[in-house]
Structure formats: C-alpha cells, structure tokens
Amino acid sequence: MKKEIIISVLFAVMIAVSFVNIAQLSKLTTELTRDAELAADAAQIEDWTAAEEHATRAFRIWKDHSAYTQLVLRHGVIEQGENAIIGLLTDIYSRDKGRVLGSAEAVRRSMESIATVEQVRIGSVL
C-alpha cells in the first residue's frame, strides 16, 4: 500500500508541475506574440523606433528565459523561436514593412506551436 501512495503522490506532483509549466509557457509565448504584433503595427506606420523597441524587447525576453526554455523545450523548437524573432529584428532594421508583417506572423506561429505542443493531454498522461 505504501508504494501505491508514493506513486500516486509522484504522479500528482508531475501533473501539477506540468500545469505550472503550461502556465509559464503560455505567459511567455503570449508576451512574445504581443511584442511581435506591436512591432509589426509600428512598422506599418513607419515608426521604426517603436518597432525596434518591441522586437528588441521580445528578443530580450526570449534570451532571459533561455535557461528555462532549454530545460523544457526541444532544441529545434528553441532555434525556431529564436530565428523567428531574429528575422523580425532583421526585417525591422532593413525597414521593409511587408517583410516585417511576415516575420511577425512567423513569430506568432512559432509561439503558438510552442504553446499548443506543450499542453497536457490524456494520451500524454496515460
């Protein structure tokens, strides 16, 4: 009986940690998506300073969370997210409004993919 209780407690802890992880990733991806969208909006009105500020903020947030993302995400996913943000910055630096829109969409899709893949599902628990 003691084994079953220990296993049950460990299972409950793992589920709780999964939900904390999901909440953290959701917050991170929401922030990054918002900044990418704000950067794209600023670029469309040719406010390149604001666009750069938002994109730089997104990159800084991504880098500040790198230890966490390396712990919970696959290397390819981390590279994809970082490359999308760098692409956004690059297009802002080149002052290309059309490409900024595409890059912001790439950031959004990358963050959406991270948030979706890391969800707890019955199949992944059982």
Side-chain angles (χ1 to χ4, degrees):
M1 181 69 176
K2 194 173 185 179
K3 277 184 181 178
E4 289 83 6
I5 292 173
I6 292 171
I7 290 170
S8 297
V9 168
L10 285 174
F11 183 72
V13 168
M14 287 173 40
I15 294 291
V17 168
S18 293
F19 283 112
V20 169
N21 183 49
I22 289 167
Q24 182 68 22
L25 282 174
S26 177
K27 180 180 178 227
L28 175 63
T29 57
T30 299
E31 276 185 74
L32 294 169
T33 300
R34 187 195 65 222
D35 277 326
E37 290 171 349
L38 290 171
D41 291 345
Q44 294 313 297
I45 59 171
E46 297 188 12
D47 184 353
W48 297 109
T49 302
E52 184 179 343
E53 286 172 5
H54 289 295
T56 303
R57 180 178 184 275
F59 187 70
R60 188 177 61 251
I61 289 169
W62 183 258
K63 282 303 195 185
D64 288 348
H65 288 83
S66 66
Y68 170 72
T69 58
Q70 288 176 6
L71 236 132
V72 299
L73 298 174
R74 293 178 318 278
H75 182 70
V77 173
I78 294 168
E79 267 189 27
Q80 178 187 9
E82 188 167 312
N83 288 341
I85 296 168
I86 290 170
L88 176 63
L89 269 167
T90 301
D91 292 335
I92 288 169
Y93 292 147
S94 66
R95 306 232 188 289
D96 188 332
K97 292 191 305 188
R99 290 186 65 122
V100 168
L101 281 177
S103 294
E105 180 65 16
V107 171
R108 186 188 69 77
R109 286 185 181 266
S110 179
M111 295 305 123
E112 184 179 85
S113 173
I114 290 170
T116 302
V117 167
E118 296 301 320
Q119 297 296 315
V120 173
R121 293 178 182 78
I122 296 298
S124 66
V125 172
L126 299 177

